[in-house]
Amino acid sequence: MTPPAHSATERRPSIATASTAHARTSATAKRIALLAVLALALALPSLVANASQLNYAILVLMIAQAGVAWNILGGYAGQVSLGHAAFYGIGAYTSTKLLLAFGLSPWLGMLAGGVAAVLFALAIGWPCFRLKGHYFAMATIAIAEILQIVVTNWDWLGGAVGLSLPLAETGWWGFVFNKSKVPYYYIILALLLLTLGASWLIERSFLGYYFRAIKDEPDAARSVGIDLKRYKLIAIAASSFLTALGGSFYAQKELFIDPGSTMATSLSIKIALVAILGGVGSLGGPVIGAVILTAIDEATRAIFGGTGRGTDLIIYGLLIIVVAVFYPSGVVGRWRDLEKRWVAPKRPAIDSETRL
């Protein structure tokens, strides 16, 4: 006597249960990996062999922080800016000038630099957001270049010579550490975590949904009542504020700034490229891109000496071409595609049972 055949509807709960179990397992694995990475980051200063390796880690965190900040505007909202060095430079110059002219603590100067960057971003965003696509990107490049020229010819800001900060050890309140780079490491790590936290909150709030709607379907977003310009301005305000914080940190770490180091177009491209390489619109993509790109920078300097003799810029260009043609979703997107391929072969076996 043959056993009664089970209908497809009787089999579906088992399929849903298997899918839910896999999702829970994957989420747990990601949480464990995230905690492991965080623990490693916190313990890294005690694990590195010398100061140069610690400085390399600081450079990775610096560009990762700027990339995560850029991702709010360029990744979530889809407004590709190639002039973010302007916000970076505003943060650096504001905190530095307030310290030199008024003796204001760099921590307060950092916040002032963020506010100055937001005001500048809103001023340029109002007319520039009338532009779309590559026209907006070109406008951001032009504005950043104009700002760099203005600062280069402004003697009160040091002109082309730049500004030097006091070298005396002042500790945490003065934000100057000469004996060890460890404090700088933990400060930029905290700043990166703050930027990631802000991005995470935006991604999971109504702002994240609005930004993605503006990026993917602007006409549909407008039709349901979303004010495109308003939320683009919110995106550029958040992005510029966090980018300016990174610029202030750069000034305090290097104790010297000039237009070429804080407002160069190459810096804007690098900030955007770490997010594009890692995966735009993903939370951890810019961090992964920063690790890869900083490794390339250091390798070209080690091989060719100096600044790499322009080799790093050539590699940047090649990376943009490769990512645009073969991996438009970046490293994170490629990993997700591979993950789906590994999981997919298990599903037909479950589906075949429903047909029995």
Side-chain angles (χ1 to χ4, degrees):
M1 182 176 179
T2 59
H6 296 283
S7 65
T9 56
E10 292 175 331
R11 292 284 184 176
R12 283 172 189 165
S14 63
I15 298 174
T17 302
S19 177
T20 303
H22 177 270
R24 289 177 179 174
T25 303
S26 178
T28 302
K30 289 178 180 178
R31 290 192 188 99
I32 294 173
L34 182 61
L35 290 174
V37 171
L38 180 59
L40 177 62
L42 292 172
L44 189 63
S46 61
L47 301 176
V48 296
N50 51 55
S52 63
Q53 293 179 353
L54 185 60
N55 187 65
Y56 171 79
I58 293 173
L59 294 176
V60 171
L61 295 178
M62 287 171 62
I63 194 62
Q65 188 272 335
V68 174
W70 180 93
N71 196 43
I72 295 174
L73 177 66
Y76 296 144
Q79 308 303 303
V80 178
S81 166
L82 296 179
H84 253 53
F87 309 134
Y88 200 82
I90 288 173
Y93 271 91
T94 301
S95 62
T96 299
K97 196 61 186 178
L98 289 174
L99 172 63
L100 295 177
F102 305 104
L104 188 68
S105 169
W107 296 103
L108 299 177
M110 179 181 285
L111 295 176
V115 173
V118 169
L119 294 176
F120 181 77
L122 294 177
I124 66 170
W126 187 262
C128 286
F129 282 136
R130 297 177 182 272
L131 306 173
K132 297 180 181 179
H134 58 279
Y135 294 109
F136 174 78
M138 288 190 295
T140 59
I141 294 176
I143 290 171
E145 285 291 329
I146 292 171
L147 183 62
Q148 183 180 358
I149 293 171
V150 170
V151 174
T152 301
N153 293 278
W154 195 349
D155 292 337
W156 188 69
L157 293 178
V161 177
L163 297 172
S164 296
L165 284 80
L167 298 175
E169 175 85 20
T170 54
W172 286 94
W173 182 246
F175 211 142
V176 177
F177 309 96
N178 295 327
K179 298 177 182 179
S180 172
K181 291 184 179 292
V182 173
Y184 288 119
Y185 173 84
Y186 282 114
I187 291 172
I188 190 58
L189 177 61
L191 191 56
L192 173 60
L193 293 177
L194 172 66
T195 309
L196 285 169
S199 297
W200 183 84
L201 290 174
I202 289 173
E203 182 181 355
R204 282 157 179 76
S205 70
F206 73 95
L207 289 175
Y209 292 108
Y210 284 5
F211 290 166
R212 285 188 287 271
I214 292 171
K215 173 185 177 181
D216 297 330
E217 296 292 342
D219 294 332
R222 186 185 293 106
S223 68
V224 296
I226 297 176
D227 188 335
L228 269 61
K229 181 173 287 188
R230 176 184 177 185
Y231 287 100
K232 286 179 183 180
L233 289 174
I234 292 174
I236 198 173
S239 181
S240 62
F241 181 83
L242 294 168
T243 302
L245 298 186
S248 296
F249 174 84
Y250 173 86
Q252 290 302 133
K253 175 185 177 294
E254 299 298 331
L255 298 177
F256 172 79
I257 58 172
D258 65 350
S261 62
T262 59
M263 295 183 174
T265 301
S266 59
L267 176 60
S268 293
I269 294 174
K270 187 175 181 180
I271 290 173
L273 187 55
V274 295
I276 295 170
L277 179 60
V280 292
S282 63
L283 189 62
V287 180
I288 297 173
V291 174
I292 298 172
L293 212 61
T294 307
I296 293 173
D297 281 350
E298 295 302 308
T300 54
R301 288 190 180 95
I303 295 172
F304 299 103
T307 60
R309 298 179 183 178
T311 309
D312 51 348
L313 297 178
I314 296 174
I315 296 175
Y316 291 170
L318 292 175
L319 281 174
I320 292 173
I321 295 172
V322 170
V323 170
V325 175
F326 299 103
Y327 307 107
S329 56
V331 174
V332 171
R334 180 59 176 169
W335 172 259
R336 288 172 179 169
D337 291 341
L338 292 175
E339 187 179 19
K340 290 178 181 178
R341 290 182 183 179
W342 293 337
V343 175
K346 299 179 182 179
R347 292 176 179 170
I350 297 175
D351 293 341
S352 63
E353 295 179 1
T354 65
R355 299 188 182 96
L356 295 176

